[in-house]
Amino acid sequence: MTDIEVMSQQEALADPFGPHESIAGVLAAQGEWRQAYEHLRTALDRAREESLRDALTATYNRRFLDLWLASRPRAVNGLALALVDLDLFKRINDTFGHPAGDHVLRRTVSLLRDGLPPGGFCARYGGEEFALVLPGVPPGTALGVAERARDRVARHSWPELATGFAVTVSIGLAYQPSGRVDVPHQLKQADRLLYAAKHAGRNAVAYRERGDIRIVAHGR
């Protein structure tokens, strides 16, 4: 590798968009203005998409979740928000190692995203916690989505990774009916319900019905 190539790599690390500007500059100097514009636009679109994705799991990240929620001051036909937490995840890392933990996070995202209704999405909320956002669905449908997601994770063939390997999730499901969305309140409610699911023995879904906390429990 030449000194110039090494310098180019160092510049790319320092300024990831710099090489694209250089390429566009070369194209512009050759009179290829349209190609230069298209190259920059494609690079910008790719950079924006990557900024909204979690690097490990490739699902949406917290930034995307916050932007999405902030752009919807009103819930049309309701909005369900579920916080999903991997049970005893530290034990997985400590027992099987961080590469196994990373595999579990990626596989869990795939399982959570299966069967989401149109418009629904999964975002990494932080660490081993994820959010399922389900716009425009009634409470019963949202509960069904959450319970099936919990069941898919629990029934997945985790023992293929190692003998005795098991993974479950706990879920707190908060529902906002049609009208103005109080996002901070809904997130706090989902977090409290998640804690209730954990307290009930984990591998459970907690939600509210007529003001009371209900638990769909499958504790180990």
Side-chain angles (χ1 to χ4, degrees):
M1 183 178 295
T2 67
D3 290 342
I4 293 177
E5 289 173 328
V6 170
M7 187 177 297
S8 295
Q9 286 192 355
Q10 292 173 341
E11 290 176 350
L13 290 173
D15 179 12
F17 196 67
H20 297 290
E21 291 180 323
S22 297
I23 293 171
V26 171
L27 290 170
Q30 295 173 349
E32 302 290 347
W33 295 101
R34 184 174 182 81
Q35 289 187 33
Y37 168 76
E38 292 294 340
H39 182 86
L40 284 177
R41 188 179 68 173
T42 300
L44 281 169
D45 289 344
R46 186 181 297 116
R48 181 180 182 277
E49 175 68 16
E50 290 175 352
S51 76
L52 301 175
R53 294 278 179 178
D54 175 59
L56 176 64
T57 63
T59 196
Y60 289 118
N61 58 21
R62 178 68 178 272
R63 180 170 181 265
F64 176 88
L65 175 66
D66 290 343
L67 289 171
W68 192 94
L69 291 172
S71 70
R72 279 153 180 80
R74 298 185 64 83
V76 179
N77 299 322
L79 173 66
L81 179 61
L83 290 184
V84 184
D85 188 72
L86 280 155
D87 296 325
L88 303 173
F89 185 68
K90 185 177 184 300
R91 182 183 297 178
I92 294 173
N93 278 332
D94 292 346
T95 303
F96 300 99
H98 287 278
D102 289 348
H103 176 84
V104 168
L105 290 171
R106 287 190 292 266
R107 177 57 61 185
T108 297
V109 163
S110 178
L111 294 168
L112 293 177
R113 292 168 70 175
D114 282 349
L116 288 179
F121 66 89
C122 174
R124 190 174 184 184
Y125 195 64
E128 64 271 20
E129 196 169 350
F130 299 89
L132 296 181
V133 179
L134 311 171
V137 298
T141 300
L143 178 59
V145 170
E147 171 57 16
R148 286 190 294 273
R150 181 214 58 77
D151 186 65
R152 277 195 301 274
V153 174
R155 292 180 179 274
H156 185 65
S157 57
W158 301 107
E160 292 181 358
L161 295 177
T163 303
F165 200 94
V167 178
T168 62
V169 295
S170 297
I171 302 177
L173 175 66
Y175 186 80
Q176 167 72 46
S178 299
R180 186 170 182 82
V181 179
D182 186 343
V183 172
H185 174 74
Q186 193 171 6
L187 284 171
K188 287 179 181 178
Q189 187 180 46
D191 191 58
R192 292 192 191 102
L193 290 166
L194 174 59
Y195 178 81
K198 294 281 190 182
H199 188 70
R202 306 184 185 92
N203 192 21
V205 178
Y207 64 103
R208 282 191 178 275
E209 185 176 52
R210 298 186 180 91
D212 295 327
I213 295 178
R214 310 284 186 181
I215 306 289
V216 183
H218 304 269
R220 289 178 291 180

